[in-house]
Amino acid sequence: MAQETSTLDAAGVQPDARGYFGGADGFGGRYIPETLMPACEELERAYAAARNDPAFQRELDELLREYVGRPNPLTLAARMTAELGGARVYLKREDLNHTGAHKINNTLGQALLTKRMGKRRVIAETGAGQHGVATATAAALFGLECCVYMGAEDVRRQALNVFRMELLGAKVVPVTTGQRTLKDACNEAMRDWMSSVRETHYIIGSVMGPHPFPMLVRDFQAVIGREVKEQCQQKEGRLPDAVVACVGGGSNAMGIFHPFLGDASVRLVGVEAAGEGVSTDRHAATLAKGGPGVLHGMKTVVLQDADGQTANVHSVSAGLDYPGVGPEHAYLHATKRADYVSVTDGEALDAFKYLARLEGIIPALESAHAIAYVRKLAPKMKRDEILVVNVSGRGDKDCEEARRLLGMGG
Amino acid sequence: MSSESRIASTFAALKTAAFMPFFTIGDPDVETTAALVKEAARRGADLIELGVPFSDPIADGPTIQASYYRALDRGFKVAQVFDLAKKLRANGVTIPLVCMVSHSLVFKRGTGSFFRSAREAGYDGMIVPDLPAGYEGDATVQARAHGLEHIFLCAPTTTPERRAQICSKSGGFIYYISVAGITGARDALPPDLEANVKDLKSRTKTPVCVGFGIGQPAQAAAVSKLADGVIVGSALVKLAAELHAAGKSREAVVAEVGAQIEALARATHGK
């Protein structure tokens, strides 16, 4: 991998001019139909200008403070720490954001860019519905027309979020092709964008897709890691020893990892969805089981068959049910700067209950994957060590599905 | 690419615009695809575009996507892409064959390996719709090394700077996408089509073919006055699928689609 084309420093990894992390033999790029090339170039220019514009940064900061409620706390999980008997565990409380997840950090940033580009309509794909809700929210706030594509299977699993999006004025289109989940919603959103690109911006919800999306979404989510760094300094007077986050496309993980990439003492751990187990064919553990491939506009690590057809994936969590991963994660995996592990549906459901009972916090099923791994990692760490886990979203949306799966109540 | 390529000599020999039908390989089965290619050649097609089924197509509309899923459901494998061309060439079919395939599938096999197999099987050109100019890596070099034309697409949204790039890179012909959107037959031709095709033709001697949204002979006739070639995909794929779904035999499907191809070819050729 050509190291000279990217810089790993305190500011983290940057892609090269064409959007590759780790040079042209690395991950990223822009594998999209010609029709969309000008839109990606336009977005790249608009973002470059916004990034250097203090007025843009001020406006976004104010929204994050006054509308989202940032900074959200870094909560010491005292009972969990005592029960696990190892590292002190802190929870980064993205679940307390307006709309209940980290997704809003990105959609507000991209909605501001949409206005700057003079476009009047936004579209989005969504898995669990959190990104769809966050996009519909930003669209309502800015008076933009909004259309959200959602796999029909996820529409069933996340009925409450569908209602929320509609209440916010968005049109929700169920996608009935393919596996009827997140990847199929991505295909449909991409198709809409092909036909509507002149007046529409596609608010991609994770650190994926063609350049500059992986970089741009990461930058909007990096506020999570910046706050953790500052809060950990205030509470503990030093950096954490480990940072753990779940990875589907990987935006909450990239956001919390990014400010720590240059801090070699901080172990970064991404937790993928092992579904029914990585030795079965029903999982979504892309980095554990996948190989290099091209999907949804990016070269990254993908779960495919021998021909390159996308494999069917499974996770109890709609937000992790995705056969690819953001290209920067593929790069961090290849360079071993971050570790990637996986936990099963069962372990995630246990962790869902565990955090509720021990800390009074019901996490999203996505975030429960990260919690499940903390239960394995924290006991192996020393008592004076610090572990931060990203509670990327709250679990209200999952209560119905979890009740069904856990066979509780009702 | 030498001027001896089968695609170049086909365009050179034509006094009218070329007609190029599109079929999805393996829909409803590879035998039918082979029969459709032979029938199209007999009924006046000048080149054939063959689409490779992919699980996650983003450039294709619902009609082509559905055809990809039908083929995949019936167990389509990439090896059949090469087997099909080999058999056609072995049966004396000489019409230029252009393979349209997602970069996801090309990348998996390796660009050099995919292109070599395609050339050896009998393909003349490659269209990789999700490999835009600037991101093609060594694909154009590999195509040339293996004797294939690497055909690039150009869209109504393409900037002048990118048009220049595409005109200099594209071999065989330039595939102009008539509308900013996905494939699929539409009723009217877009108003900016004429100006955009003229602009491209002022930049290059490479033939410019127009596809996306053309389904009827009258549209083909109109486009043939502007461009060097007319590509029809969704309308034919849809017709074949409907006939097949209605329980028609392979022979009947091929004959009826063939009749439509003849009408489109005649319109394109100004007859």
Side-chain angles (χ1 to χ4, degrees):
Chain A
M1 231 171 271
Q3 288 296 334
E4 70 275 12
T5 49
S6 73
T7 51
L8 182 62
D9 53 27
V13 172
Q14 297 301 339
D16 70 10
R18 293 189 307 143
Y20 291 100
F21 294 91
D25 294 330
F27 303 98
R30 215 174 243 167
Y31 298 94
I32 49 172
E34 175 62 29
T35 307
L36 296 178
M37 283 299 282
C40 284
E41 289 175 349
E42 179 191 18
L43 179 63
E44 192 180 354
R45 282 191 302 272
Y47 179 57
R51 209 181 195 182
N52 294 319
D53 181 355
F56 178 84
Q57 202 53 58
R58 262 199 310 278
E59 196 174 355
L60 184 57
D61 286 348
E62 190 184 327
L63 282 167
L64 292 175
R65 189 176 61 244
E66 304 294 332
Y67 189 70
V68 178
R70 303 203 74 96
N72 56 46
L74 183 68
T75 307
L76 176 67
R79 294 191 67 210
M80 199 173 154
T81 298
E83 197 271 334
L84 294 173
R88 267 197 304 289
V89 177
Y90 282 93
L91 311 173
K92 181 55 178 167
R93 302 295 305 281
E94 293 299 306
D95 61 309
L96 293 179
N97 290 344
H98 177 46
T99 71
H102 70 292
K103 295 291 187 186
I104 190 83
N105 304 328
N106 168 47
T107 60
L108 287 174
Q110 289 203 49
L112 277 179
L113 283 177
T114 306
K115 296 283 267 193
R116 278 176 86 105
M117 290 187 291
K119 295 186 172 183
R120 58 161 188 82
R121 178 174 178 262
V122 291
I123 55 172
E125 84 292 340
T126 198
Q130 292 303 93
H131 174 59
V133 168
T135 302
T137 301
L141 184 65
F142 289 103
L144 299 164
E145 192 187 320
C146 179
C147 178
V148 179
Y149 291 89
M150 189 169 186
E153 169 64 12
D154 295 335
V155 167
R156 181 193 68 75
R157 286 194 282 194
Q158 304 288 348
L160 184 60
N161 270 343
V162 174
F163 176 70
R164 291 167 79 197
M165 287 183 265
E166 287 171 350
L167 197 60
L168 290 159
K171 184 175 152 202
V172 179
V173 180
V175 177
T176 56
T177 52
Q179 257 194 295
R180 311 166 142 230
T181 57
L182 182 54
K183 92 171 166 70
D184 309 290
C186 290
N187 293 339
E188 283 308 312
M190 206 75 93
R191 285 215 184 84
D192 178 311
W193 203 28
M194 292 272 287
S195 317
S196 63
V197 59
R198 287 182 171 110
E199 81 281 352
T200 298
H201 174 60
Y202 177 12
I203 301 190
I204 290 185
S206 192
V207 286
M208 47 165 270
H211 179 63
F213 283 103
M215 169 182 80
L216 176 156
V217 176
R218 173 203 70 192
D219 289 351
F220 288 139
Q221 293 294 0
V223 64
I224 306 172
R226 285 198 301 272
E227 285 179 9
V228 168
K229 212 166 186 175
E230 203 183 309
Q231 290 165 324
C232 199
Q233 201 61 245
Q234 280 168 5
K235 288 173 195 286
E236 295 278 354
R238 64 183 186 90
L239 296 175
D241 299 288
V243 174
V244 179
C246 65
V247 176
S251 70
N252 89 81
M254 217 49 251
I256 198 168
F257 288 177
H258 184 63
F260 291 105
L261 289 178
D263 301 308
S265 69
V266 182
R267 185 178 168 201
L268 306 172
V269 187
V271 185
E272 298 190 302
E276 294 175 5
V278 290
S279 56
T280 73
D281 59 358
R282 284 177 56 79
H283 64 81
T286 305
L287 288 167
K289 303 290 281 188
V294 171
L295 181 68
H296 293 144
M298 58 187 165
K299 190 194 327 170
T300 184
V301 174
V302 185
L303 289 165
Q304 295 177 322
D305 72 6
D307 270 357
Q309 309 287 358
T310 309
N312 286 349
V313 292
H314 162 81
S315 168
V316 68
S317 139
L320 303 183
D321 205 348
Y322 183 68
V325 66
E328 192 169 355
H329 282 297
Y331 173 72
L332 296 179
H333 178 250
T335 56
K336 299 191 164 51
R337 175 60 191 95
D339 298 324
Y340 294 86
V341 298
S342 59
V343 306
T344 62
D345 285 351
E347 290 170 322
L349 280 163
D350 281 347
F352 182 77
K353 279 196 294 190
Y354 176 86
L355 195 68
R357 292 187 181 176
L358 245 64
E359 297 292 340
I361 296 168
I362 301 172
L365 275 176
E366 290 76 20
S367 321
H369 284 73
I371 302 293
Y373 187 68
V374 169
R375 294 176 72 187
K376 298 181 188 181
L377 179 62
K380 292 187 208 150
M381 293 171 68
K382 297 195 198 88
R383 284 170 190 268
D384 60 352
E385 289 188 304
I386 304 161
L387 188 163
V388 174
V389 57
N390 199 7
V391 183
S392 55
R394 60 176 171 248
D396 308 37
K397 68 179 174 65
D398 296 311
C399 284
E400 192 70 38
E401 183 75 353
R403 184 171 67 171
R404 188 176 73 83
L405 292 166
L406 292 167
M408 290 163 70
Chain B
M1 179 61 55
S2 79
S3 58
E4 300 305 311
S5 91
R6 188 146 37 187
I7 294 173
S9 56
T10 296
F11 280 104
L14 276 170
K15 292 183 176 60
T16 66
F19 178 66
M20 193 181 332
F22 168 99
F23 306 117
T24 293
I25 299 173
D27 176 40
D29 50 50
V30 179
E31 292 72 22
T32 304
T33 311
L36 284 167
V37 171
K38 287 183 207 162
E39 182 76 356
R42 197 175 71 78
R43 298 266 202 162
D46 302 295
L47 307 89
I48 309 273
E49 188 187 347
L50 290 167
V52 180
F54 175 51
S55 56
D56 294 273
I58 50 177
D60 298 289
T63 304
I64 304 291
Q65 184 189 34
S67 75
Y68 285 177
Y69 287 163
R70 284 193 298 269
L72 288 168
D73 284 346
R74 293 183 61 118
F76 167 84
K77 295 285 176 221
V78 167
Q80 291 175 297
V81 174
F82 311 120
D83 294 343
L84 170 65
K86 258 180 226 155
K87 278 193 190 123
L88 286 167
R89 295 308 186 207
N91 286 335
V93 176
T94 57
I95 193 166
L97 296 175
V98 175
C99 177
M100 175 151 122
V101 56
S102 167
H103 188 54
S104 298
L105 303 182
V106 175
F107 180 83
K108 182 72 177 182
R109 188 171 274 251
T111 308
S113 165
F114 198 109
F115 284 13
R116 186 175 56 246
S117 299
R119 183 60 195 146
E120 284 170 4
Y123 288 96
D124 303 290
M126 301 296 303
I127 302 172
V128 190
D130 46 2
L131 196 60
Y135 287 89
E136 75 275 29
D138 66 349
T140 306
V141 174
Q142 292 282 359
R144 198 172 292 131
H146 295 297
L148 284 165
E149 305 274 21
H150 184 192
I151 297 144
F152 284 78
L153 294 106
C154 182
T157 51
T158 303
T159 55
E161 193 186 25
R162 292 192 57 77
R163 285 182 192 205
Q165 229 190 104
I166 289 163
C167 286
S168 75
K169 285 180 175 172
S170 196
F173 62 91
I174 292 163
Y175 189 138
Y176 180 74
I177 302 161
S178 69
V179 286
I182 48 181
T183 59
R186 288 169 178 78
D187 289 337
L189 292 179
D192 59 356
L193 180 65
E194 183 169 0
N196 285 336
V197 172
K198 271 190 182 153
D199 175 77
L200 283 176
K201 289 185 67 69
S202 75
R203 293 171 186 270
T204 178
K205 289 191 168 62
T206 308
V208 178
C209 297
V210 176
F212 283 44
I214 305 168
Q216 295 307 315
Q219 293 171 312
V223 173
S224 74
K225 292 185 177 71
L226 313 171
D228 302 303
V230 175
I231 304 166
V232 175
S234 294
L236 296 172
V237 168
K238 188 166 177 239
L239 178 61
E242 282 169 359
L243 294 168
H244 179 73
K248 298 273 177 113
S249 68
R250 179 180 301 153
E251 293 68 29
V253 172
V254 169
E256 284 198 45
V257 175
Q260 184 63 12
I261 287 170
E262 186 168 328
L264 288 159
R266 289 176 70 92
T268 303
H269 295 149
K271 288 176 190 162

